[in-house]
Amino acid sequence: AAAASVLHAVAPDGPPVYSLPHLFAQAAVADVLLREKLPAWGVAANGLGVAAAASEGRRFVPWRELTAEGCDAKVQFTPLKPLRRVIEEADANFQGDVSMLLDVCRQSIYFESPDDILTCLDALAADPDVCL
C-alpha cells in the first residue's frame, strides 16, 4: 500500500519538477520502488536480468533463476543517470528544462521473443501501482 501512495504522489496529474535536487530525490525513491517491482515483471514475462558474478563477469540470467532461493548471482541494476549527463541532456534537448527528463531512473528487462515483451506489457498494465 505504501508503494501505491508514493507512486500516486508523482502521478501525471502532479506538478512538473523543475529543480534538479527534487528530480534526483524523486528518482531515488522511484529507483527503490522499481527495483522491488522489476523481478516480478521479469518472472511473469520470462525475461532476463543482468547478473554480475565475480568469476564470470556480466551475464544474462532468467529472472526466474535470479529470484530463486539459493541463487548466488547478484543482480546488476542500472544506477541513476549521473548528474553531469542529466545536465547535458536537459541543455541539449530541452533548453535546460529538467522537467522533461524521463529516464533519470531506469532499469531493464531483456527478452528472447516479441511474445515475452507483450507478456511483460500485460503485467505492467495489470499492476495497480503502474500508471501507463
Side-chain angles (χ1 to χ4, degrees):
S5 63
V6 171
L7 289 177
H8 179 68
V10 295
D13 59 345
V17 176
Y18 295 107
S19 158
L20 269 176
H22 290 159
L23 179 68
F24 270 87
Q26 283 190 352
V29 171
D31 191 51
V32 170
L33 298 173
L34 187 56
R35 288 177 187 211
E36 288 177 3
K37 291 286 193 174
L38 197 70
W41 298 330
V43 168
N46 298 313
L48 307 171
V50 177
S55 63
E56 301 166 15
R58 180 178 153 154
R59 61 190 174 104
F60 294 95
V61 178
W63 272 105
R64 192 170 321 285
E65 290 179 29
L66 288 171
T67 57
E69 192 171 319
C71 178
D72 63 350
K74 183 178 179 192
V75 176
Q76 185 176 343
F77 289 107
T78 304
L80 295 179
K81 185 176 278 190
L83 177 60
R84 174 192 53 75
R85 182 66 191 115
V86 167
I87 293 169
E88 288 173 359
E89 186 177 338
D91 287 343
N93 300 320
F94 306 115
Q95 294 76 43
D97 183 357
V98 298
S99 73
M100 299 298 291
L101 297 171
L102 302 176
D103 63 345
V104 176
C105 166
R106 70 272 170 150
Q107 296 299 331
S108 298
I109 299 173
Y110 299 87
F111 303 98
E112 294 183 311
S113 78
D115 286 340
D116 292 343
I117 296 171
L118 291 175
T119 301
C120 189
L121 290 173
D122 288 340
L124 287 167
D127 190 316
D129 293 331
V130 175
C131 177
L132 298 176

